[in-house]
Amino acid sequence: MKKNALTWLRENGIYVVLMVLLVIIVFRDPTFLNLINLSNILTQSSVRIIIALGVAGLIVTQGTDLSAGRQVGLAAVISSTLLQSMDNINKVFPTLDTVPIPVVVLVVCFSGAIIGLVNGVIIAYLKVTPFITTLGTMIIVYGINSLYYDSLGASPISGFDSRFSKFTQGFCYFGNFKVSYITFYAIISIILVWILWNKTCFGKNIFAIGGNSEAAKVSGVNVRFNLILVYTLSAVFYAFGGMLEAGRIGSATNNLGFMYELDAIAACVVGGVSFAGGLGTVTGVVTGVIIFTVINYGLTYIGVSPYWQYIIKGSIIIFAVALDSLKYERRK
């Protein structure tokens, strides 16, 4: 009986901790539980879900991406400069017509794919660890973004075309409850990644690589190609998320996206994506993001200092990884 209780706690301990935090938030302010807050939490979660889905595929292969947040920022700045309204007196490119949204999506996703491709090639062919590779590209991407941003005047880029504002800030109403358009984009992303992970050879390959890359290679899996593909695809998700985040906030600077990669990694770990590789579900990733968003939003709602929030989030990350390590040791 005691052994079963310890096993259950090892498997579900992180959810117990997060549930206790939620109970404390509700106890401090019962008004936290209302439809407006639920709508806001879903909206804030949506972009983070898209970014986390990109990171999750890398963690499954025993990789990671520290450059994700800076890629989000680059995509946000690029898309913002192309989607300003023509009557904006502070328009960055006054003679450039507002670019159609589908074209901007393609532009930012292509730019993201190039960065992801570079990451993948370095990791797959030069055998540089994902941590070091993406640490380097994180710094490089931030430098490129800052140079571009400074050349435009180093002031927040805002005043978007009304169609883009509606695209990212619009809502569908279901009685008294509203769901943002961004939430629907997140749902589409969730379905796409679920299909990739569960119904394609690519999905089977990345889980095989994460479980044992050498065994996967012997089984005929092109490890290098699949690693390049997963890093490229992940960067496309970051880029699309960055574009949506700029529209949701209503402006963009070169610092947008700071620390987003750590939130995404933390949400993946909390959602059961193992750093040991080969384990993870789309449902777990989504659950992890929503849990973290509820905690972040709730702690802010009851007036907890942002510095204490950093301490709490950091502790949750360490606890989640510690539990993951214990589970991995037990499986061995």
Side-chain angles (χ1 to χ4, degrees):
M1 187 70 178
K2 184 178 179 180
K3 186 176 181 181
N4 289 337
L6 287 173
T7 301
W8 185 90
L9 189 61
R10 187 186 296 118
E11 296 291 332
N12 302 283
I14 189 65
Y15 297 107
V16 173
V17 172
L18 295 171
M19 185 59 66
V20 169
L21 278 173
L22 181 58
V23 169
I24 292 171
I25 291 167
V26 174
F27 180 78
R28 286 285 302 275
D29 193 339
T31 63
F32 176 70
L33 297 176
N34 61 63
L35 291 178
I36 294 175
N37 284 340
L38 178 58
S39 176
N40 290 338
I41 288 167
L42 284 176
T43 301
Q44 289 187 18
S45 297
S46 297
V47 172
R48 304 302 177 103
I49 285 172
I50 293 171
I51 297 167
L53 287 171
V55 173
L58 309 182
I59 298 176
V60 165
T61 64
Q62 297 189 37
T64 190
D65 194 344
L66 300 182
S67 68
R70 293 309 185 186
Q71 292 187 53
V72 168
L74 178 62
V77 169
I78 292 173
S79 59
S80 296
T81 59
L82 300 176
L83 289 163
Q84 287 183 296
S85 172
M86 290 302 295
D87 58 8
N88 183 350
I89 60 174
N90 295 316
K91 186 171 169 59
V92 172
F93 302 118
T95 59
L96 177 67
D97 288 340
T98 302
V99 181
I101 294 173
V103 175
V104 177
V105 171
L106 291 175
V107 169
V108 297
C109 288
F110 178 76
S111 65
I114 294 298
I115 300 169
L117 179 65
V118 171
N119 278 337
V121 168
I122 293 172
I123 291 165
Y125 282 92
L126 301 184
K127 303 299 181 183
V128 181
T129 62
F131 182 90
I132 297 300
T133 299
T134 59
L135 175 63
T137 52
M138 174 185 75
I139 298 168
I140 293 169
V141 170
Y142 182 59
I144 293 171
N145 194 18
S146 297
L147 286 171
Y148 179 60
Y149 181 70
D150 284 354
S151 72
L152 303 177
S155 58
I157 304 167
S158 58
F160 299 137
D161 183 78
S162 59
R163 288 166 294 186
F164 181 56
S165 296
K166 184 176 180 180
F167 181 77
T168 53
Q169 297 178 2
F171 288 89
C172 287
Y173 289 85
F174 301 91
N176 295 325
F177 184 62
K178 62 180 183 179
V179 180
S180 69
Y181 290 171
I182 289 181
T183 300
F184 290 107
Y185 309 147
I187 291 171
I188 293 170
S189 300
I190 291 166
I191 294 171
L192 176 61
V193 174
W194 187 89
I195 292 172
L196 283 174
W197 281 19
N198 296 281
K199 300 297 179 180
T200 68
C201 289
F202 170 69
K204 293 179 175 65
N205 288 344
I206 63 172
F207 278 91
I209 293 168
N212 189 321
S213 62
E214 291 302 319
K217 188 183 296 184
V218 170
S219 300
V221 175
N222 189 332
V223 174
R224 287 177 172 174
F225 174 77
N226 281 280
L227 283 176
I228 291 171
L229 189 58
V230 74
Y231 275 90
T232 303
L233 182 62
S234 294
V236 170
F237 277 88
Y238 310 149
F240 184 57
M243 176 183 170
L244 294 179
E245 187 74 341
R248 184 184 73 85
I249 296 172
S251 66
T253 71
N254 61 326
N255 285 316
L256 193 153
F258 177 62
M259 296 284 282
Y260 278 31
E261 68 281 354
L262 298 186
D263 285 346
I265 292 169
C268 289
V269 174
V270 168
V273 183
S274 176
F275 266 108
L279 287 176
T281 64
V282 173
T283 304
V285 174
V286 174
T287 302
V289 173
I290 292 176
I291 286 173
F292 253 101
T293 306
V294 169
I295 298 303
N296 286 339
Y297 190 91
L299 292 175
T300 302
Y301 191 81
I302 63 174
V304 174
S305 165
Y307 305 126
W308 274 110
Q309 291 185 40
Y310 283 130
I311 294 170
I312 292 169
K313 285 166 62 177
S315 300
I316 289 172
I317 292 169
I318 293 171
F319 185 56
V321 173
L323 287 178
D324 179 62
S325 298
L326 289 173
K327 287 186 282 188
Y328 176 67
E329 287 297 322
R330 186 166 177 267
R331 287 196 300 271
K332 288 172 66 179

